[in-house]
Amino acid sequence: MSTNCRIALDAMGGDHAPEEIIKGALEAAGQPVHILLVGRETVIREHLARLTGSIPSNIEIVEAPEVVGMDDNALAPLRRKRNSSIRICANLVAEDKADVMVSAGHTGAAMTSAYKVLGTIEGVSRPALAAILPRAEGHTVLLDVGANVDSKPAYLREFAVMGHFYAQMLFGIAEPRVGLLSIGEEEGKGNELTKETFRVLKETGLNFIGNAEGRDVYNGNADVVVCDGFTGNVVLKASEALADMIGKLIREELTRSTTRKIGAVLAKGAFADLKKRVDYSEYGGAPLLGVKGGCIVCHGRSNAKAIKNAIRVAREFAINRIDTKIQDKISDLHRRESSSALAVDV
Amino acid sequence: MGKDVAETFPAARRVFEEIDDALGYSISRLCFEGPEDQLKLTQNTQPAILAVSSAIHAVLEEREAVRRDLVAGHSLGEYSAIVSDGGLEPPEAAKIVHQRGLFMQEAVPVGTGGMAALIGPSVEDARAICEEAAQGEVVSVANINAPGQIVIAGTKAGIDRAIAIAKGKGVRRALPLPVSAPFHCALMKPAEERLKPILEAAPFKDLWVSLVSNVDASPIGTGTALRNALLRQVASPVRWVEVIQRMVSMGVKRFVEVGPGNVLTGLIKRIDGNVELINVSDVPTIEAYLRGVTG
């Protein structure tokens, strides 16, 4: 891996594909990054011809005749649609023709392709999808938000390690505070999974702050919150819906009378800023942590700006070599375990 | 400093003017004409250096000669590095570093802190010297600039002791530095505290090419990460050797130093003899560089 990062970008995935994806790629092309636009070449060329005079030299087209649709199964790229754009993106990373893949298409299909085609980093059992959630000051990394439905303490420990290094890069801090999502602060609170995980996390050498309650996802007590994918997905979706609902209520209340409407007009800047602070497109995409190379999963609604940001995130991710750091830390944990097991045996 | 650049290139002149406006006083006049004793005050030195670096960079940018894959800067230079990738506008950065300079100066009463250069020892040896010299006070490694080139910082008395200990241990050279405050050590904690709200309020943008940070020698790019790295570097050592080694390990083969002087070029040469080094610091070097890039 050099600084000249190569990104395999799924041109066909997402609600606004391929137009917005290609626009995003063009916006990113001014930067030191090599973009492989993966999809139907004729379609991509048509769009490029319309959007730009000449194709930038750091954009390359890679043919992928099939597309995974939203009604397809998550396993489609592995079975019926092995020539789909998502699958080809994964192939390119697996063959070291790209460093990271980026897709705004079928989330399940992207994660399955990355997991099965790229494989996991040595020592990692399962990848985890990490979301960045806004809070009043700063952000919180929540993982896993849906790569796995069921989990074990060993997986959650790996998630904690992955979240630690991701937060280091994202926040520029040395020892991110890692919390374990549970239903009470004390060590004994929670279910079997969290109680056992609590015990395991204490021994990792990470900055483990103990259990985090649901509110700690948003109040700034933790930089990283670890949970199983089922719980994380529920938290994420409930949060998104809550934010949407509050937005709707505010709009309703602000348009109820003329005086309020005037107030709303005056406060327009504040609302725009608020929107920017909670806007998914500012973060670009969520990484699937723990796979070899890397995979950035974007929101299906991604517009050109979100794609451009996702390419930025993908580049930063690849350059940082988070995978190596995760691998080293996990093998270190395993080494310590086997040596302590040995001590017990003797 | 920077006068010839401003007179020759309108793009550079504009940067000086914007920074003068933002600061509310003419840092450009201090830069070009002095007086030297005013320019030496760190609250002026910091924005002055930043202004010259940003002005030179603006010239390169205007001629589209800024192709790069990573950025880094030494201490204050991290701000210029961030400016160079659009993470901060020059006037914003100048306002921050003016405050940074003030806070660093005010963190310790004048004359009670000091810094010294140790030439020869390994980082471990330098740390041992600091520990021995501390005697309950702050004395620690402040810059790891090149192999065998270490700067330490701490209380005046502690630094004097460290110099004596270093000489006793056969360190080739140990000499006090003419600085106004002990930068990059725990004595700077009050400055860090005061800088925090200023960095938090500043309009950082995410970087495209990643900054390899002084404090962790690790590439970062988000606005949040930049704020935290800039905050933490105030009272932490500058790990310059690791920064450069990290960049080389990531595939960097050519370094272009942009800004007044050529200190960093000299340091990088000692860290890695195999990389190409270019210094762009005044009108002749700017012109030579532009000729080389644009043909």
Side-chain angles (χ1 to χ4, degrees):
Chain A
M1 196 3 254
S2 76
T3 48
N4 186 19
C5 185
R6 302 158 303 170
I7 315 269
L9 176 62
D10 176 7
M12 313 309 282
D15 302 350
H16 308 296
E19 177 87 6
E20 290 292 311
I21 313 290
I22 294 170
K23 266 193 204 165
L26 284 171
E27 282 177 27
Q31 302 296 340
V33 64
H34 191 83
I35 301 165
L36 301 157
L37 268 176
V38 182
R40 292 191 182 121
E41 183 164 355
T42 47
V43 177
I44 295 174
R45 283 205 185 280
E46 266 172 40
H47 283 271
L48 280 171
R50 202 153 31 75
L51 292 166
T52 180
S54 62
I55 303 173
S57 61
N58 55 342
I59 290 188
E60 200 181 315
I61 301 167
V62 177
E63 168 70 11
E66 294 170 336
V67 177
V68 176
M70 279 309 162
D71 43 1
D72 273 319
N73 188 292
L75 293 170
L78 301 177
R79 296 179 182 161
R80 284 188 309 108
K81 293 192 169 173
R82 291 183 200 182
N83 292 313
S84 58
S85 52
I86 287 186
R87 173 63 191 268
I88 302 285
C89 281
N91 289 354
L92 288 167
V93 178
E95 292 158 11
D96 193 29
K97 290 175 182 156
D99 298 299
V100 193
M101 62 181 279
V102 175
S103 177
H106 193 302
T107 304
M111 290 196 296
T112 320
S113 309
Y115 177 27
K116 294 296 178 188
V117 178
L118 306 181
T120 52
I121 297 166
E122 200 185 314
V124 171
S125 325
R126 294 283 190 283
L129 191 62
I132 308 168
L133 304 178
R135 51 184 208 228
E137 260 185 39
H139 299 89
T140 306
V141 172
L142 179 71
L143 81 166
D144 172 26
V145 295
N148 313 274
V149 177
D150 294 305
S151 256
K152 296 176 182 176
Y155 300 174
L156 291 184
R157 182 175 76 167
E158 292 164 12
F159 299 171
V161 170
M162 301 192 284
H164 164 86
F165 288 113
Y166 183 49
Q168 266 189 350
M169 175 188 94
L170 216 51
F171 305 144
I173 48 181
E175 297 296 338
R177 298 158 300 162
V178 179
L180 172 66
L181 192 62
S182 188
I183 51 166
E185 279 178 29
E186 301 80 11
E187 179 165 358
K189 294 275 178 70
N191 56 18
E192 288 310 314
L193 175 65
T194 64
K195 280 192 259 184
E196 176 57 16
T197 306
F198 193 109
R199 203 184 57 72
V200 172
L201 286 182
K202 276 200 298 190
E203 309 298 323
T204 52
L206 300 174
N207 184 9
F208 176 53
I209 57 162
N211 282 342
E213 293 186 88
R215 58 171 175 236
D216 294 317
V217 172
Y218 289 103
N219 67 8
N221 284 340
D223 301 303
V224 179
V225 173
V226 175
C227 59
D228 64 88
F230 183 94
T231 311
N233 196 269
V234 170
V235 171
L236 185 67
K237 297 280 168 66
S239 302
E240 282 176 352
L242 177 68
D244 278 351
M245 184 204 63
I246 291 174
K248 216 167 139 191
L249 289 184
I250 291 174
R251 261 194 306 281
E252 268 178 34
E253 290 300 328
L254 282 176
T255 48
R256 214 172 270 265
S257 71
T258 315
T259 336
R260 287 187 186 180
K261 276 183 193 162
I262 293 167
V265 171
L266 293 176
K268 211 172 148 193
F271 289 118
D273 285 348
L274 176 69
K275 188 161 177 279
K276 196 171 149 74
R277 284 172 72 173
V278 296
D279 183 4
Y280 72 94
S281 64
E282 293 294 324
Y283 316 116
L288 184 68
L289 297 169
V291 293
K292 286 183 188 151
C295 170
I296 307 292
V297 179
C298 305
H299 209 292
R301 294 196 302 241
S302 290
N303 54 18
K305 182 176 142 205
I307 294 299
K308 182 187 166 193
N309 283 336
I311 295 171
R312 194 200 73 77
V313 168
R315 184 186 191 274
E316 189 180 346
F317 189 84
I319 275 188
N320 216 282
R321 296 318 308 258
I322 289 187
D323 48 355
T324 325
K325 294 179 188 170
I326 293 169
Q327 187 174 327
D328 290 350
K329 176 71 181 175
I330 287 177
S331 74
D332 178 50
L333 289 175
H334 287 165
R335 226 183 355 261
R336 269 198 281 165
E337 256 165 18
S338 54
S339 62
S340 67
L342 216 62
V344 173
D345 286 346
V346 171
Chain B
M1 184 172 69
K3 191 177 180 194
D4 57 339
V5 179
E7 280 170 355
T8 313
F9 302 105
R13 200 153 54 241
R14 275 196 296 278
V15 171
F16 279 111
E17 285 164 6
E18 282 167 19
I19 290 179
D20 286 349
D21 283 349
L23 289 177
Y25 70 97
S26 181
I27 196 73
S28 58
R29 194 182 310 144
L30 263 184
C31 258
F32 305 157
E33 296 161 21
E36 197 69 8
D37 59 327
Q38 281 295 308
L39 189 58
K40 271 194 177 147
L41 295 173
T42 186
Q43 68 262 34
N44 292 331
T45 320
Q46 297 207 15
I49 293 174
L50 180 121
V52 177
S53 304
S54 306
I56 297 173
H57 185 269
V59 176
L60 305 187
E61 198 161 41
E62 194 187 47
R63 310 289 174 92
E64 296 184 3
V66 287
R67 152 85 213 205
R68 72 284 209 223
D69 297 302
L70 283 168
V71 293
H74 188 291
S75 186
L76 163 75
E78 281 204 314
Y79 287 85
S80 307
I82 291 168
V83 165
S84 79
D85 196 40
L88 274 176
E89 292 302 316
E92 291 295 341
K95 280 196 288 190
I96 302 170
V97 301
H98 172 67
Q99 297 286 73
R100 180 180 182 267
L102 267 179
F103 298 160
M104 288 169 104
Q105 191 57 63
E106 289 169 4
V108 179
V110 177
T112 59
M115 295 180 88
L118 304 182
I119 309 297
S122 66
V123 179
E124 292 70 36
D125 289 348
R127 285 207 184 100
I129 290 167
C130 290
E131 262 169 46
E132 198 181 327
Q135 296 180 15
E137 296 178 359
V138 173
V139 183
S140 57
V141 168
N143 300 352
I144 305 163
N145 283 337
Q149 284 197 25
I150 290 161
V151 174
I152 60 172
T155 60
K156 177 81 175 62
I159 291 297
D160 289 345
R161 285 194 294 273
I163 290 173
I165 293 167
K167 283 181 176 160
K169 288 195 171 180
V171 166
R172 210 174 337 139
R173 285 173 75 193
L175 55 160
L177 294 174
V179 290
S180 54
F183 303 129
H184 300 296
C185 72
L187 294 172
M188 285 293 124
K189 278 283 170 192
E192 189 183 300
E193 296 281 311
R194 293 173 73 190
L195 193 60
K196 191 166 194 250
I198 289 174
L199 286 172
E200 263 161 20
F204 282 89
K205 290 200 188 90
D206 295 346
L207 297 186
W208 255 96
V209 301
S210 294
L211 168 90
V212 182
S213 68
N214 285 180
V215 65
D216 294 319
S218 195
I220 51 169
T222 69
T224 310
L226 298 174
R227 282 188 183 93
N228 281 323
L230 291 175
L231 186 65
R232 290 168 55 220
Q233 57 118 287
V234 171
S236 308
V238 176
R239 295 160 61 180
W240 190 246
V241 171
E242 287 167 89
V243 168
I244 299 306
Q245 286 170 341
R246 182 77 202 261
M247 292 173 89
V248 171
S249 79
M250 289 162 77
V252 174
K253 294 184 176 64
R254 177 207 277 187
F255 289 83
V256 182
E257 178 183 3
V258 177
N262 55 7
V263 173
L264 298 183
T265 302
L267 294 179
I268 299 168
K269 193 184 285 175
R270 288 172 175 276
I271 297 167
D272 192 314
N274 298 318
V275 296
E276 186 189 347
L277 293 165
I278 300 171
N279 174 258
V280 184
S281 53
D282 51 18
V283 173
T285 50
I286 290 173
E287 284 173 344
Y289 184 66
L290 289 175
R291 271 196 306 277
V293 171
T294 52

